[in-house]
Amino acid sequence: LPVSKPDPAPIRHAVSLMGLSPSKSFYVGDAPGDVVACHGAGLSSIIVNYGYLPLDEDPKTWKAHYYVNEPIDILSVFKQEA
C-alpha cells in the first residue's frame, strides 16, 4: 500500500485479505504507532513489554488494550477474549 503505520490502512488490508473481522482480531506490536494503527483499524492492540522499546518511554501511556511481558502471555489475552 502507499501508506504505512500509523495509518490503519495496511492493517485493515491484511485483516481483509485473511477474511477476518477487525473486531475479533488482534495486532501485536512494540511501538506507539502500532497502537494508533490498531485503534484506527478497529482491532485490539497487544503491546509487548520487550523488544525494541526505548528505555525512556512508558508503553502504558500508549493506551493499548493489553500489555504482555512474555510471548506466552499473548495466549492469556486470547483466552480472556474467547
Side-chain angles (χ1 to χ4, degrees):
L1 298 178
V3 295
S4 59
K5 294 180 297 180
D7 190 299
I11 292 177
R12 274 194 220 121
H13 183 65
V15 170
S16 174
L17 286 175
M18 292 185 284
L20 301 173
S21 165
S23 65
K24 298 192 181 279
S25 300
F26 298 85
Y27 185 88
V28 180
D30 64 356
D34 296 333
V35 176
V36 171
C38 284
H39 286 213
L43 279 73
S44 291
S45 53
I46 302 173
I47 290 298
V48 297
N49 292 321
Y50 53 88
Y52 298 105
L53 299 176
L55 295 176
D56 61 342
E57 284 205 42
D58 178 8
K60 299 282 186 193
T61 65
W62 303 345
K63 299 182 181 173
H65 294 97
Y66 302 95
Y67 296 86
V68 297
N69 293 316
E70 298 181 32
I72 193 74
D73 296 338
I74 296 169
L75 294 177
S76 297
V77 172
F78 296 158
K79 289 178 184 176
Q80 181 180 335
E81 289 295 316

